[in-house]
Amino acid sequence: MTPSTLTPPLFHKLGGGIATIQNIAELFLAGQLDTPEKQKKAITHIQTTCQSLLIELRNCQSPKREELP
Amino acid sequence: MSKPSILMIDDDESSLFVAENLLVNTFKLLTARNKKNGLSLLKEQHSQIKLVLLDLNMPDIKEFELLHLIRATYPHMPIIILSYVHNIQTVVEAMRAGANDFVTKEEASTVLLKRINQYILTNEPAKPSKTESDNTELYIPNHPAYRDIYDIALKFARNGLDFLIQSDTGTGKTALVNYIYKALKPAGLLVDINCGGIPESLAESEFFGHEAGSFTDAKNTSVGKFELANKGILFLDEIGNMPLTIQQKVLKAIEDKKITRVGSNREIQVDFLLIAATNEDLEKAVQSKRLRKDLYYRMGKPMLKLPSLNEYPEVIPEFIHFFVHQFNKKYNKQVILPPTLVQKLQNRHWDGNIRDLQKIIKIVIACYPDLSVIDYLLTGAETHTNTKTGGQPHLEDKLHHLKVSEITTALQKHHGNISQTAQSLGIKRTTLIHQIAKLGIDYKTFRNN
């Protein structure tokens, strides 16, 4: 079976993206995002991060169907 | 009063957004998205910039290049690396290249503010102060209950609003005042008066000063505490114990911002931020006629309450970690407390709050490795769980100490070099890294030994 390729740059991108979402969640919980503008911006950052993570994951080489056990 | 500036160099918009919202109440965040802008901002504003937050992975530059450049040009500038890469090699390399600290992006929301505060508030030389607390390092737990009080107090102070801190003994009232002083950086001194510690007969002279010859022992003119605090902060501790006879004059001085030295008719204008503190219910002091009602109304509001350590036991490990570090430095030791002991301390009821915890950690570190002292100190302590082991250290504790001792000795011998240490211990490098993380050993401290 060909393993999926999780190269170091991709690994870092995934880690960074997840850390961003986690940090924004913490900001929400701590009440730091206290205006609708800040909240809207935060959601946009989460959306952008998720989109970029999805693109990275789609581009990531995954095992072919016939190679799966 | 302007906020201290921090420069963040990072190409990731989301990271900048997070940092901006995390630091907005305490710092002014300058941002640069690439090497060129970062260096030019540093060049233009380096005297205002108190700290640099630096990402390691940026498209236009090699991993440590910018760190080397900044360190070479600004040798005293505190630099904290903020990165999502956190393998041990990168951390070690960053520290070797001159970073002061390393924070991973995933822990940014919980530890970044605290780490920055440690560098800005404790590493910066403080202005001269008349308090004896100058040598007390500040620690603000990363907990909303503490952070909020510190933020509100700072907001009051920045807007020139006097306030009262009413909290149990040992909860950190003096530390909060020191924090305000260091953050505000006023032109004058921080002058503290323990209102309960001044004899009634000397109170007026202590508070307002006296002219030479104004009474038998007044050989020289003396400046009082209120005058000393001009352009600074006047901290009236234990306000409820202030001699009754002086209270009216104190009220007048606070209201009019004018004082008159004993033996003089000349009024002197003074300007200070007033912070009062007490550990008692001031309404009761008013009822029992120990405190004037008008003084209470002037100083009783706004009132801030620092939490007691028992309210938020989750912050105890943070304080323990801080005090262990503080006393390790003082006693030139490298003690790491076993998790079982930290748990014991966390479960204990702390009547004396932070001061009590600090004292116990001090004794433990000073007497280490004599473990019997720990059991002695905790014997009879009120705990929520039964963790007493009949005076004998727990087997888990013994193993912990043995492992820590072996690894730290080897790390010391090999100046923190992981590969050489692992080889000398006869274990794999990865096993050593795992053990270092598990035992909470700060291997960085061995780098320069």
Side-chain angles (χ1 to χ4, degrees):
Chain A
M1 184 186 125
T2 314
S4 57
T5 312
L6 199 54
T7 58
L10 177 56
F11 182 79
H12 293 154
K13 274 181 191 167
L14 291 176
I18 293 166
T20 298
I21 296 169
Q22 194 183 339
N23 281 322
I24 292 177
E26 294 280 351
L27 285 174
F28 261 112
L29 287 174
Q32 293 283 92
L33 305 172
D34 50 4
T35 63
E37 288 75 26
K38 283 184 189 175
Q39 291 170 2
K40 201 176 160 189
K41 251 186 177 176
I43 300 291
T44 312
H45 278 290
I46 292 176
Q47 283 174 325
T48 317
T49 308
C50 289
Q51 273 165 8
S52 120
L53 288 185
L54 282 171
I55 292 167
E56 292 296 341
L57 283 171
R58 279 195 197 113
N59 291 340
C60 174
Q61 187 192 335
S62 58
K64 289 174 188 163
R65 194 182 179 84
E66 59 272 23
E67 288 171 347
L68 290 170
Chain B
M1 204 69 64
S2 62
K3 295 176 187 173
S5 297
I6 288 178
L7 172 64
M8 179 165 178
I9 310 175
D10 196 324
D11 65 318
D12 180 37
E13 288 296 336
S14 299
S15 299
L16 293 169
F17 172 80
V18 168
E20 204 167 45
N21 285 286
L22 202 60
L23 308 177
V24 66
N25 293 333
T26 328
F27 300 105
K28 180 182 172 190
L29 189 71
L30 308 169
T31 54
R33 285 155 180 82
N34 54 44
K35 169 188 159 186
K36 194 181 158 195
N37 286 349
L39 289 175
S40 111
L41 266 171
L42 257 177
K43 195 176 172 187
E44 286 160 19
Q45 302 190 38
H46 68 90
S47 58
Q48 281 91 49
I49 294 171
K50 302 293 178 201
L51 184 141
V52 173
L53 283 174
L54 183 63
D55 182 26
L56 285 179
N57 299 83
M58 288 198 293
D60 64 337
I61 193 157
K62 283 182 196 158
E63 203 169 28
F64 297 106
E65 196 183 329
L66 191 49
L67 174 58
H68 280 295
L69 265 172
I70 298 174
R71 178 51 71 232
T73 323
Y74 308 96
H76 303 297
M77 177 69 73
I79 305 172
I80 297 182
I81 300 297
L82 187 59
S83 173
Y84 48 75
V85 183
H86 51 95
N87 56 60
I88 201 157
Q89 291 95 331
T90 312
V91 178
V92 170
E93 278 303 309
M95 302 310 263
R96 280 188 180 146
N100 296 78
D101 211 334
F102 199 108
V103 174
T104 64
K105 284 190 176 174
E106 64 203 53
E107 62 181 348
S109 56
T110 49
V111 304
L112 186 61
L113 188 59
K114 184 175 72 183
R115 300 277 184 88
I116 292 174
N117 274 333
Q118 280 170 4
Y119 280 97
I120 292 192
L121 299 179
T122 62
N123 286 9
E124 193 173 271
K127 289 187 176 186
S129 160
K130 296 297 284 182
T131 69
E132 58 181 9
S133 315
D134 264 359
N135 296 327
T136 310
E137 286 183 72
L138 293 169
Y139 182 71
I140 308 166
N142 186 34
H143 190 285
Y146 285 85
R147 268 198 325 246
D148 290 353
I149 295 286
Y150 273 75
D151 284 351
I152 293 167
L154 194 54
K155 272 180 197 160
F156 285 159
R158 284 211 164 106
N159 289 299
L161 298 169
D162 301 339
F163 62 92
L164 170 76
I165 312 166
Q166 186 176 31
S167 300
D168 292 345
T169 183
T171 44
K173 293 188 281 285
T174 308
L176 174 57
V177 175
N178 280 325
Y179 165 81
I180 299 287
Y181 182 73
K182 288 182 179 176
L184 279 185
K185 298 184 177 62
L189 301 175
L190 166 58
V191 179
D192 92 359
I193 309 177
N194 184 333
C195 299
I198 298 177
E200 200 169 332
S201 56
L202 297 177
E204 189 175 354
S205 164
E206 279 288 311
F207 281 32
F208 306 120
H210 60 252
E211 296 291 339
S214 56
F215 52 92
T216 316
D217 293 329
K219 287 173 185 150
N220 301 309
T221 297
S222 163
V223 174
K225 304 271 191 187
F226 275 57
E227 206 178 329
L228 266 178
N230 191 28
K231 306 279 180 208
I233 296 177
L234 180 66
F235 176 37
L236 295 180
D237 201 4
E238 291 191 40
I239 185 88
N241 295 331
M242 184 188 286
L244 196 58
T245 48
I246 194 78
Q247 288 182 17
Q248 193 183 3
K249 284 188 178 167
V250 166
L251 177 64
K252 195 169 180 321
I254 294 167
E255 289 286 337
D256 301 345
K257 292 283 164 74
K258 281 177 190 164
I259 58 111
T260 308
R261 290 181 191 160
V262 177
S264 167
N265 293 322
R266 191 171 58 95
E267 281 190 329
I268 300 168
Q269 192 78 38
V270 283
D271 181 24
F272 48 74
L273 175 78
L274 175 69
I275 304 176
T278 183
N279 56 18
E280 64 173 322
D281 184 349
L282 287 185
E283 280 186 26
K284 283 184 185 161
V286 172
Q287 280 163 15
S288 60
K289 311 267 184 216
R290 287 188 292 112
L291 185 69
R292 287 175 64 101
K293 208 184 244 181
D294 44 11
L295 188 60
Y296 168 67
Y297 286 131
R298 172 62 179 79
M299 304 223 285
K301 296 272 184 312
M303 192 259 282
L304 297 176
K305 191 176 186 313
L306 281 164
S308 85
L309 210 48
N310 302 312
E311 282 176 75
Y312 301 102
E314 61 268 36
V315 303
I316 293 177
E318 277 189 54
F319 276 116
I320 293 174
H321 180 76
F322 176 72
F323 292 139
V324 166
H325 178 73
Q326 187 182 40
F327 292 116
N328 267 340
K329 212 157 79 178
K330 180 171 181 178
Y331 294 110
N332 199 21
K333 292 191 175 183
Q334 278 146 359
V335 178
I336 294 162
L337 297 188
T340 49
L341 176 60
V342 175
Q343 186 72 50
K344 262 189 203 177
L345 294 168
Q346 193 174 7
N347 290 337
R348 192 177 188 263
H349 187 83
W350 295 95
D351 285 331
N353 288 297
I354 303 166
R355 190 185 295 131
D356 198 9
L357 174 65
Q358 185 184 27
K359 203 184 290 172
I360 287 209
I361 300 294
K362 182 181 178 179
I363 298 169
V364 169
I365 304 294
C367 299
Y368 198 87
D370 183 0
L371 289 175
S372 62
V373 72
I374 299 169
D375 285 302
Y376 174 77
L377 285 170
L378 298 181
T379 298
E382 189 188 329
T383 57
H384 301 308
T385 54
N386 184 13
T387 50
K388 212 176 156 197
T389 55
Q392 288 300 311
H394 201 282
L395 176 64
E396 211 178 304
D397 288 357
K398 283 184 180 172
L399 285 171
H400 174 92
H401 285 294
L402 199 63
K403 279 185 191 172
V404 169
S405 161
E406 286 292 311
I407 293 174
T408 49
T409 309
L411 276 168
Q412 201 156 23
K413 194 174 165 190
H414 298 287
H415 308 289
N417 184 304
I418 303 287
S419 302
Q420 288 174 13
T421 307
Q423 203 175 3
S424 75
L425 291 168
I427 57 175
K428 283 183 188 170
R429 194 173 170 282
T430 47
T431 310
L432 176 61
I433 291 169
H434 176 70
Q435 285 296 327
I436 284 174
K438 193 177 162 191
L439 297 168
I441 297 171
D442 187 4
Y443 67 93
K444 289 176 279 185
T445 55
F446 302 96
R447 283 185 299 119
N448 299 320
N449 291 342

